[in-house]
Amino acid sequence: MLTAMVLLSVGYGLSTQATRFWQFVVLWGFVVGAGSGMAATVLGAAVANRWFTEKRGLVMGVLTASTATGQLVFLRTLASAATINWRWAIAITAARHCWSCRSSGG
Protein backbone atom coordinates (compact mmCIF):
# COMPACT_ATOMS: atom_id res chain seq x y z
CA MET A 1 0.00 0.00 0.00
CA LEU A 2 2.82 2.36 0.82
CA THR A 3 4.39 1.71 -2.59
CA ALA A 4 1.09 2.59 -4.27
CA MET A 5 0.79 5.83 -2.33
CA VAL A 6 4.38 6.78 -3.13
CA LEU A 7 3.82 6.11 -6.84
CA LEU A 8 0.69 8.25 -6.77
CA SER A 9 2.44 11.07 -4.94
CA VAL A 10 5.44 11.03 -7.26
CA GLY A 11 3.30 10.82 -10.38
CA TYR A 12 1.06 13.69 -9.29
CA GLY A 13 3.94 15.81 -8.08
CA LEU A 14 6.07 15.40 -11.20
CA SER A 15 3.13 16.07 -13.49
CA THR A 16 3.05 19.65 -12.22
CA GLN A 17 6.45 20.05 -13.88
CA ALA A 18 5.47 18.44 -17.20
CA THR A 19 6.11 20.69 -20.18
CA ARG A 20 5.31 18.25 -22.97
CA PHE A 21 2.22 16.17 -23.57
CA TRP A 22 4.16 12.89 -23.69
CA GLN A 23 5.55 13.58 -20.18
CA PHE A 24 2.03 13.99 -18.88
CA VAL A 25 0.92 10.79 -20.60
CA VAL A 26 3.84 8.80 -19.18
CA LEU A 27 3.32 10.12 -15.65
CA TRP A 28 -0.46 9.64 -15.57
CA GLY A 29 -0.58 6.57 -17.78
CA PHE A 30 2.14 4.56 -16.13
CA VAL A 31 3.18 5.99 -12.76
CA VAL A 32 -0.23 7.14 -11.51
CA GLY A 33 -1.91 4.20 -13.26
CA ALA A 34 0.34 1.69 -11.51
CA GLY A 35 -0.17 3.35 -8.15
CA SER A 36 -3.92 3.51 -8.42
CA GLY A 37 -4.06 -0.03 -9.76
CA MET A 38 -2.23 -1.25 -6.67
CA ALA A 39 -4.40 0.71 -4.27
CA ALA A 40 -7.90 0.39 -5.70
CA THR A 41 -10.07 -2.69 -6.00
CA VAL A 42 -7.20 -5.11 -5.38
CA LEU A 43 -6.74 -3.71 -1.89
CA GLY A 44 -10.48 -3.90 -1.23
CA ALA A 45 -10.58 -7.55 -2.28
CA ALA A 46 -7.61 -8.35 -0.04
CA VAL A 47 -9.25 -6.66 2.94
CA ALA A 48 -12.58 -8.36 2.34
CA ASN A 49 -11.03 -11.82 1.98
CA ARG A 50 -8.73 -11.49 4.94
CA TRP A 51 -10.95 -9.87 7.56
CA PHE A 52 -14.46 -10.89 6.62
CA THR A 53 -15.60 -14.48 6.50
CA GLU A 54 -19.26 -13.70 5.94
CA LYS A 55 -20.85 -11.13 3.67
CA ARG A 56 -17.72 -10.47 1.63
CA GLY A 57 -19.86 -9.23 -1.24
CA LEU A 58 -21.46 -6.63 1.01
CA VAL A 59 -18.05 -5.48 2.23
CA MET A 60 -16.77 -5.14 -1.35
CA GLY A 61 -19.91 -3.19 -2.25
CA VAL A 62 -19.43 -0.80 0.67
CA LEU A 63 -15.73 -0.32 -0.15
CA THR A 64 -16.50 0.36 -3.80
CA ALA A 65 -19.31 2.76 -2.90
CA SER A 66 -17.05 4.62 -0.48
CA THR A 67 -14.43 5.02 -3.21
CA ALA A 68 -17.01 6.47 -5.59
CA THR A 69 -18.41 8.78 -2.91
CA GLY A 70 -14.94 10.01 -2.00
CA GLN A 71 -14.23 10.77 -5.63
CA LEU A 72 -17.42 12.81 -5.91
CA VAL A 73 -16.41 14.96 -2.96
CA PHE A 74 -12.71 15.18 -3.78
CA LEU A 75 -13.11 15.86 -7.50
CA ARG A 76 -15.41 18.79 -6.82
CA THR A 77 -12.70 20.36 -4.68
CA LEU A 78 -10.10 19.75 -7.37
CA ALA A 79 -12.35 21.22 -10.04
CA SER A 80 -12.60 24.40 -7.98
CA ALA A 81 -8.82 24.56 -7.64
CA ALA A 82 -8.35 23.84 -11.35
CA THR A 83 -10.32 26.95 -12.29
CA ILE A 84 -7.48 28.96 -10.73
CA ASN A 85 -4.56 26.89 -12.03
CA TRP A 86 -4.48 23.24 -13.10
CA ARG A 87 -1.02 22.76 -11.62
CA TRP A 88 -2.38 23.74 -8.19
CA ALA A 89 -5.07 21.09 -8.44
CA ILE A 90 -2.47 18.42 -9.11
CA ALA A 91 -0.17 19.79 -6.38
CA ILE A 92 -3.05 19.54 -3.89
CA THR A 93 -3.54 15.91 -4.90
CA ALA A 94 0.19 15.17 -4.51
CA ALA A 95 0.23 16.79 -1.06
CA ARG A 96 -2.79 14.77 -0.02
CA HIS A 97 -1.08 11.54 -1.03
CA CYS A 98 2.15 12.51 0.73
CA TRP A 99 0.12 13.16 3.87
CA SER A 100 -1.53 9.75 3.45
CA CYS A 101 1.89 8.08 3.15
CA ARG A 102 3.05 9.79 6.31
CA SER A 103 -0.08 8.95 8.29
CA SER A 104 0.06 5.29 7.21
CA GLY A 105 3.45 4.90 8.85
CA GLY A 106 5.64 5.31 5.77
Side-chain angles (χ1 to χ4, degrees), residues 8-30:
L8 287 167
S9 298
V10 167
Y12 291 147
L14 288 177
S15 64
T16 63
Q17 303 302 313
T19 58
R20 305 266 189 254
F21 181 70
W22 69 267
Q23 295 168 338
F24 202 73
V25 169
V26 167
L27 288 168
W28 280 79
F30 294 104

Side-chain angles (χ1 to χ4, degrees), residues 21-85:
F21 181 70
W22 69 267
Q23 295 168 338
F24 202 73
V25 169
V26 167
L27 288 168
W28 280 79
F30 294 104
V31 179
V32 173
S36 63
M38 283 187 228
T41 309
V42 176
L43 178 63
V47 168
N49 282 328
R50 182 173 181 161
W51 291 329
F52 296 92
T53 56
E54 296 178 11
K55 302 190 182 201
R56 287 185 183 146
L58 176 65
V59 170
M60 280 299 297
V62 169
L63 289 173
T64 303
S66 68
T67 300
T69 304
Q71 287 177 0
L72 287 173
V73 172
F74 188 62
L75 290 177
R76 181 164 171 83
T77 304
L78 284 179
S80 298
T83 59
I84 299 167
N85 185 342

